[in-house]
Amino acid sequence: MPSGNTVDPITMKKWRELCAERPLSLILALGIVLRVVAFVFLSPFNPDPHFPLVEYIHQHHSIPPTSSMAIAFHPPLYYLMAAPLLSFGGAKTVQILSLLLSVATLLVIHRYLERPDARGSIAAKCHCLLLAALLPEFVMFGLCVSNDCLAFFLGASICFRMFSYIGNPTRRAECLLAVLLGLGLLAKGTFLGFVPALLLLVGFVNLRGGQASGRILGRLAVFSAIFVALGCYKFVDNQIREGKPVIHGLDYKPWWAELQKPTYTGVASVIDINVAKLAMHPMVSDETRHSYPLLLYATFWYQYVSENNFSGNKSGYGWVGSLIYIVALVPTGLMLVGGWRALAGARSLLRAGTLADPGYRQALWEASCLLLLVTHFSLVILLGVKYDVWSCFQSRLVFGAFVPFLVLMGSGLAQFEHREWGAVLYWPLRILAGLFVLYFAIEVALQFAVGIARFHRI
């Protein structure tokens, strides 16, 4: 008889087989468990007052004018979905919606990476999914009471449907893309970044499919009519009430914005990429807040700004962020290599080709992902330059287009992984995943300690 501490060898064998056969599913499970644990300890609130807007809609059964509340400039879809939940509880109850959307986003990304026609080895796909499962800013902003979680889900869904559409460009697929884009515009203004990429994609696919110019224009008109009809509410409401279609909360000059000016201090604000300064000052500081590239880099990889009750970076654990910034140079470099490959592939699209060719479809998909990142970052940078407020330069505003980051990173890995030394690149990616887990372990432990202290005071 085996002792009580002996592990059944058959069980161990089955576990090893599962790890070998279904690694993506295991990473998916890890990401879901992390989100559930983080949800338990994470405050529903971030620095932006989204919850009062949910309360307003629940109490008044109407959508407030843009000028009436700090966050009312956002399109209303998330708040309309969240408001009925207040009948069953408070902010933590509403946060359940964010948790469900965060898990759904990860499921969509997993579904994309599981597709056999998605480029990359199983190892590369695992590291891409690990990034989506563990990246702190992607996880935490996806769990707060905020329209970010809905934007992440709809953005991932649009990207997945773009990929499917390239392989099977039917009218039904076009209409579904248009519906998702309309819902995106009804959720967050950053979905304007999807509009040029999707219009170009639909037009190009129809052109390569041999459609006549009149038919292409007709299909583009139908596509546009669908997403405009679904997503135009806030723009029309702004035009009627405020006299212009696009309004940002910073147009009303809130007091805190003046404290964040100026961001631009000269050419160095555009070209400063000294990540060593971030390693020495992992949180927002005068040394780094005047650099556009460093702000975007920092807010992608770590909690550069204190956004919630997870405050280990202020409690002596900022060194975790310093290590993350250094190790993250590797996946950042891979994304840049993938972007260069996508640009080279985009040039090949101008030559004769057919969507029946898998290589041609892959080139179109990666070029579309690159364009999505260019349009999204352009919106963020234009916003930041216009208002000259450093908090505008946050990468989470681009997380609606998170899938393209994974696509380009996977493409960068594909450039190197088949070389003799290519496997070396996986080590910093594993270390980075470990640092992400360590980050959450520290934050959860600190919050658990706070909870125990409160219990003893009672």
Side-chain angles (χ1 to χ4, degrees):
M1 290 290 291
S3 65
N5 294 327
T6 302
V7 178
D8 184 352
I10 297 177
T11 302
M12 288 298 298
K13 181 180 178 182
K14 289 181 178 178
W15 175 252
R16 286 194 296 269
E17 289 175 352
L18 178 63
C19 291
E21 295 174 5
R22 302 294 300 275
L24 288 174
S25 296
L26 289 174
I27 295 171
L28 172 66
L30 171 64
I32 293 174
V33 169
L34 175 68
R35 280 158 172 76
V36 172
V37 173
F39 164 81
V40 172
F41 293 94
L42 185 68
S43 166
F45 311 115
N46 63 28
D48 297 322
H50 292 274
F51 186 64
L53 183 51
V54 177
E55 289 182 307
Y56 181 97
I57 293 175
H58 179 258
Q59 294 169 4
H60 299 276
H61 306 290
S62 63
I63 301 169
T66 295
S67 58
S68 65
M69 301 179 70
I71 297 297
F73 69 92
H74 283 298
L77 182 57
Y78 172 81
Y79 310 103
L80 291 171
M81 294 170 63
L85 296 177
L86 282 178
S87 299
F88 306 97
K92 200 66 181 177
T93 304
V94 174
Q95 194 183 7
I96 294 174
L97 172 63
S98 299
L99 171 64
L100 295 175
L101 287 169
S102 181
V103 170
T105 302
L106 192 60
L107 287 169
V108 172
I109 294 172
H110 170 264
R111 187 179 177 190
Y112 160 69
L113 290 171
E114 265 203 327
R115 299 239 332 209
D117 50 345
R119 183 204 284 248
S121 65
I122 189 64
K125 290 181 177 181
C126 284
H127 284 91
C128 288
L129 187 57
L130 271 172
L131 180 60
L134 304 176
L135 182 66
E137 292 295 270
F138 189 60
V139 173
M140 291 189 295
F141 272 104
L143 290 177
C144 292
V145 175
S146 156
N147 58 352
D148 282 322
C149 57
L150 181 58
F152 298 171
F153 169 68
L154 289 173
S157 299
I158 289 174
C159 291
F160 178 75
R161 287 301 165 188
M162 287 173 66
F163 181 75
S164 300
Y165 172 70
I166 291 171
N168 185 28
T170 63
R171 291 293 295 273
R172 181 177 179 276
E174 278 179 13
C175 291
L176 180 56
L177 265 178
V179 168
L180 288 171
L181 177 56
L183 292 175
L185 290 170
L186 199 57
K188 193 158 188 169
T190 53
F191 277 83
L192 289 170
F194 277 96
V195 173
L198 286 176
L199 288 175
L200 282 172
L201 178 64
V202 171
F204 186 84
V205 166
N206 279 281
L207 179 65
R208 281 291 180 249
Q211 299 288 347
S213 58
R215 184 175 291 272
I216 293 173
L217 291 174
R219 294 180 78 154
L220 285 172
V222 172
F223 183 87
S224 300
I226 293 173
F227 81 73
V228 169
L230 280 174
C232 70
Y233 166 80
K234 196 60 185 177
F235 306 101
V236 173
D237 183 66
N238 284 341
Q239 183 64 48
I240 294 173
R241 295 177 187 261
E242 311 291 340
K244 57 180 180 178
V246 178
I247 299 175
H248 192 277
L250 289 172
D251 290 328
Y252 299 108
K253 304 185 186 306
W255 63 268
W256 56 264
E258 294 302 316
L259 301 178
Q260 295 190 14
K261 295 180 179 181
T263 302
Y264 183 79
T265 57
V267 177
S269 294
V270 180
I271 65 174
D272 183 5
I273 56 173
N274 185 2
V275 176
K277 292 197 297 187
L278 282 174
M280 291 185 288
H281 307 280
M283 292 187 64
V284 60
S285 66
D286 286 336
E287 286 78 5
T288 56
R289 71 179 182 89
H290 297 290
S291 166
Y292 300 167
L294 292 181
L295 285 169
L296 293 170
Y297 181 86
T299 54
F300 185 96
W301 292 109
Y302 182 64
Q303 191 183 181
Y304 176 75
V305 185
S306 291
E307 299 133 350
N308 49 56
N309 62 316
F310 279 15
S311 55
N313 50 0
K314 296 191 297 184
S315 304
Y317 295 97
W319 55 269
V320 178
S322 298
L323 292 175
I324 287 173
Y325 290 140
I326 294 169
V327 181
L329 288 169
V330 173
T332 302
L334 290 171
M335 291 174 190
L336 293 173
V337 171
W340 181 257
R341 295 185 73 190
L343 186 61
R347 291 196 295 267
S348 71
L349 295 174
L350 301 178
R351 299 192 292 269
T354 171
L355 292 173
D357 176 10
Y360 196 81
R361 292 199 302 271
Q362 184 64 36
L364 179 57
W365 167 233
E366 292 181 1
S368 299
C369 286
L370 178 61
L371 180 57
L372 280 176
L373 290 181
V374 168
T375 56
H376 277 73
F377 273 116
S378 296
L379 283 175
V380 170
I381 292 170
L382 287 172
L383 184 72
V385 170
K386 176 181 179 181
Y387 297 109
D388 199 27
V389 172
W390 63 258
S391 62
C392 289
F393 294 93
Q394 293 195 54
S395 285
R396 55 106 177 171
L397 298 172
V398 187
F399 282 173
F402 193 78
V403 170
F405 287 110
L406 306 181
V407 172
L408 296 187
M409 190 176 93
S411 178
L413 277 169
Q415 179 73 18
F416 300 109
E417 65 179 348
H418 297 300
R419 303 182 184 185
E420 291 183 3
W421 51 270
V424 174
L425 286 173
Y426 288 126
W427 280 106
L429 299 181
R430 292 169 186 146
I431 292 170
L432 186 62
L435 288 170
F436 290 156
V437 172
L438 176 62
Y439 168 81
F440 280 109
I442 291 170
E443 295 292 0
V444 168
L446 290 173
Q447 291 304 311
F448 185 76
V450 169
I452 293 295
R454 288 175 178 169
F455 176 78
H456 284 302
R457 284 198 297 269
I458 295 174

